[in-house]
Amino acid sequence: MGKRKIAVLPGDGIGKEVARGAVEILKAVGEQFHHEFQFSYGLIGGEAIDVEGSPLPQDTVSLCQNVDAVLLGAVGGPKWDENPPQLRPEKGLLQIRKSLNLFANIRPVSSHSSLSDSSPLKKEIIENVDFVIVRELTGGLYFGKPSGRSVENGEEFVVDTLYYKREEMRRILTTAFELAMSRNKKVTSVDKANVLESSKMWREVAVELSKEYKEVTLEHMLVDNAAMQLIRNPRQFDVIVTENMFGDILSDEASMIVGSLGMLPSASLSTSGPNLYEPIHGSAPDIAGKEIANPIAMILSASMMLKHSFNMVEEAEAIEKAVDSVLAAGYRTADVQQFGKRTVSTTEMVELVKAALAEDNAITNIMSAYA
Ligand code: IPM
Ligand code: MN
């Protein structure tokens, strides 16, 4: 198997720390499983504004277009908060999603039994939760035009637009149905059809598509109710599919089922070209540089990359298993800190996962020697 080219865009704040950790893990996996990963680095977000005068320099886009997959840390920080809209770090993130046509953002939410005390929710609520949020990522409220401020008859006003082509709804809903076919065959389509015109069309398309996926149970849920149901009984979900901003909000909420925003990975998929992998959390400027960020969301994003982009299923599962065993052994970063558990730094957590990977390999080797 040839060399795999990976673009790394660490971004700002803890993005840098966690991206470094994920690269370390990938290097370890590469050695262990004899794969050649080639990493090249690009600027995005605040740092790119400072260095290149743009949150997404053309060099970064070209870099991403010429690799097999992209790993992204996070963008943003107080330094750029007062910048005009086009010069905000977040614009870089939105533009890279758009340029690579990454319309399907996959955000798996599954509880780790050893973390059950880190969630603010009761154990019996979060036990065995396992669902996936499919968030539309290149349309909806984030991208609709017009968007901006103006003055009309001496009065200031502001507008944001929720715009979708029917086809854009169809492709994201298709992604959800396809995913459900490989899981528990249930799709919960989340919308606000009692108010929004866009949601009415969304429902129509969902119903139309469900005729092609007869084995899949389709249910519709209003977004406010979905926010409540996620806390009341998260086990009811298999695949949740929803508009860009609804998905953004619900996935942060869902991270509390697992215990921390620092635990949730994501994959952003297109139908052509490289996919992008990033944690669902942001750049957390308040804890940046302190070596206390949880690298697990980023490490698990790298594992999703191995599975989805490179079809390295065994390798991806080895990472998941290593993470689980480190948590089970009682090691925690500060965000999931717990009485009686050992609190470790970002770097220590990465080292522990690496050690767990190596150990598992040692065990496998011993086993095969006896086979
Ligand atoms: C996320 C983030 C981004 C988003 C921000 C940083 C623009 O919150 O990936 O969930 O809203 O998509
Ligand atoms: Mn978000």
Side-chain angles (χ1 to χ4, degrees):
M1 197 53 83
K3 175 167 78 182
R4 314 288 185 149
K5 289 192 279 179
I6 301 166
V8 186
L9 315 180
D12 309 311
I14 64 165
K16 290 195 195 311
E17 300 156 43
V18 297
R20 196 186 309 128
V23 169
E24 284 273 308
I25 298 299
L26 286 172
K27 284 183 177 161
V29 169
E31 269 175 37
Q32 196 168 316
F33 292 86
H34 312 290
H35 298 301
E36 205 184 329
F37 298 127
Q38 182 191 301
F39 302 94
S40 35
Y41 290 79
L43 294 175
I44 193 167
E47 192 187 13
I49 296 172
D50 290 349
V51 178
E52 302 275 344
S54 155
L56 184 67
Q58 184 50 48
D59 280 357
T60 301
V61 180
S62 311
L63 170 73
C64 294
Q65 282 163 342
N66 287 296
V67 294
D68 302 307
V70 182
L71 267 189
L72 190 144
V75 299
K79 183 176 178 192
W80 308 280
D81 272 352
E82 301 308 317
N83 281 14
Q86 290 311 317
L87 284 179
R88 286 191 58 104
E90 291 78 6
K91 264 278 162 6
L93 183 55
L94 300 191
Q95 282 169 4
I96 193 70
R97 290 172 178 170
K98 196 77 171 175
S99 327
L100 300 177
N101 198 20
L102 304 165
F103 67 91
N105 185 221
I106 312 294
R107 300 187 158 187
V109 181
S110 47
S111 42
H112 297 250
S113 52
S114 50
L115 278 189
S116 60
D117 288 326
S118 300
S119 170
L121 303 175
K122 292 195 190 105
K123 237 197 192 99
E124 59 268 29
I125 302 257
I126 59 173
E127 250 167 20
N128 301 316
V129 167
D130 180 15
F131 63 87
V132 180
I133 298 178
V134 176
R135 171 189 177 193
E136 201 291 326
L137 203 61
T138 51
L141 207 41
Y142 274 48
F143 289 93
K145 295 272 160 23
S147 169
R149 295 171 175 238
S150 201
V151 181
E152 199 173 58
N153 303 326
E155 229 186 332
E156 236 191 320
F157 74 95
V158 64
V159 60
D160 286 301
T161 303
L162 205 173
Y163 177 102
Y164 272 121
K165 294 199 174 89
R166 197 179 186 93
E167 185 48 38
E168 291 174 312
M169 294 180 174
R170 199 179 158 81
R171 66 181 181 178
I172 191 69
L173 284 156
T174 302
T175 306
F177 277 103
E178 284 291 331
L179 185 59
M181 285 298 287
S182 70
R183 295 177 47 94
N184 293 320
K185 301 194 168 60
K186 180 177 175 191
V187 169
T188 305
S189 170
V190 171
D191 62 36
K192 188 71 185 173
N194 53 348
V195 177
L196 299 177
E197 204 50 41
S198 54
S199 291
K200 282 183 207 145
M201 185 184 284
W202 183 281
R203 260 188 202 208
E204 253 171 57
V205 178
V207 169
E208 244 170 58
L209 264 176
S210 73
K211 293 176 190 144
E212 294 169 31
Y213 295 89
K214 291 222 159 55
E215 286 168 60
V216 177
T217 307
L218 168 68
E219 76 177 5
H220 306 283
M221 195 178 278
L222 297 173
V223 63
D224 46 355
N225 183 29
M228 184 270 280
Q229 294 294 341
L230 274 174
I231 302 296
R232 193 186 73 86
N233 173 20
R235 263 193 304 275
Q236 69 185 287
F237 297 112
D238 179 28
V239 175
I240 293 176
V241 58
T242 192
E243 185 266 343
N244 201 343
M245 180 171 246
F246 293 162
D248 179 45
I249 297 170
L250 293 180
S251 53
D252 266 34
E253 184 191 0
S255 76
M256 282 299 107
I257 297 165
V258 183
S260 167
L261 204 46
M263 289 295 301
L264 261 54
S266 90
S268 303
L269 311 177
S270 85
T271 44
S272 58
N275 297 325
L276 180 149
Y277 301 84
E278 58 169 322
I280 83 155
H281 64 71
S283 59
D286 53 327
I287 62 161
K290 296 187 179 158
E291 265 289 314
I292 57 174
N294 187 346
I296 293 179
M298 184 83 239
I299 290 171
L300 294 177
S301 302
S303 149
M304 288 185 88
M305 178 186 82
L306 295 181
K307 199 177 277 182
H308 291 269
S309 284
F310 304 154
N311 200 23
M312 296 177 182
V313 179
E314 193 190 339
E315 292 82 340
E317 282 170 3
I319 295 180
E320 286 169 29
K321 218 166 127 207
V323 166
D324 275 338
S325 67
V326 170
L327 293 174
Y331 296 100
R332 304 277 187 275
T333 41
D335 55 319
V336 277
Q337 198 167 29
Q338 219 176 298
F339 183 72
K341 305 290 179 191
R342 190 113 177 258
T343 307
V344 297
S345 70
T346 309
T347 306
E348 283 170 330
M349 181 52 90
V350 173
E351 288 306 315
L352 283 161
V353 175
K354 235 159 80 175
L357 263 170
E359 206 167 293
D360 198 63
N361 194 37
I363 293 165
T364 320
N365 285 344
I366 292 164
M367 304 260 291
S368 55
Y370 285 96

Coordinates of all heavy atoms in Angstrom, one line a residue, residues 107 135 142 248-249 251-252 280, ligand 2:
R107 N -21.0 13.0 13.6 CA -20.6 13.2 15.0 C -21.1 12.0 15.9 O -22.2 12.1 16.4 CB -21.1 14.5 15.5 CG -20.5 15.7 14.7 CD -20.8 17.1 15.3 NE -19.8 18.0 14.8 CZ -19.7 19.3 15.1 NH1 -20.5 19.8 16.0 NH2 -18.8 20.1 14.6
R135 N -24.8 16.0 10.7 CA -25.1 17.5 10.6 C -24.8 18.0 9.2 O -23.7 17.7 8.7 CB -24.2 18.2 11.7 CG -24.1 19.7 11.6 CD -23.0 20.3 12.4 NE -23.0 21.7 12.2 CZ -22.0 22.5 12.6 NH1 -20.9 22.0 13.3 NH2 -22.0 23.8 12.4
Y142 N -25.8 28.9 8.2 CA -24.4 29.3 8.2 C -24.0 30.0 6.9 O -23.0 30.7 6.9 CB -23.5 28.1 8.5 CG -23.2 27.8 9.9 CD1 -24.3 27.6 10.8 CD2 -22.0 27.6 10.4 CE1 -24.1 27.3 12.1 CE2 -21.7 27.2 11.7 CZ -22.8 27.1 12.6 OH -22.6 26.7 13.9
D248 N -25.1 21.8 15.1 CA -24.0 22.4 15.9 C -24.4 22.4 17.4 O -23.7 22.0 18.3 CB -23.8 23.8 15.4 CG -22.7 24.5 16.2 OD1 -21.6 23.9 16.5 OD2 -22.9 25.7 16.6
I249 N -25.7 22.9 17.6 CA -26.1 23.1 19.0 C -26.4 21.7 19.7 O -25.9 21.5 20.8 CB -27.4 23.9 19.0 CG1 -27.1 25.3 18.5 CG2 -28.0 24.0 20.4 CD1 -28.4 26.2 18.2
S251 N -25.1 18.8 19.1 CA -23.9 18.0 19.3 C -23.1 18.5 20.6 O -22.6 17.7 21.3 CB -23.0 17.9 18.1 OG -22.7 19.1 17.6
D252 N -23.1 19.8 20.8 CA -22.5 20.2 22.1 C -23.3 19.7 23.3 O -22.7 19.2 24.3 CB -22.4 21.8 22.2 CG -21.1 22.3 21.7 OD1 -20.5 21.8 20.7 OD2 -20.6 23.4 22.2
I280 N -15.2 18.0 17.8 CA -16.3 19.0 17.7 C -16.1 20.2 18.6 O -16.8 21.2 18.5 CB -17.7 18.3 18.1 CG1 -17.9 18.2 19.6 CG2 -17.8 16.9 17.5 CD1 -19.4 18.2 20.0
Ligands
MN2 MN -19.9 23.7 17.5

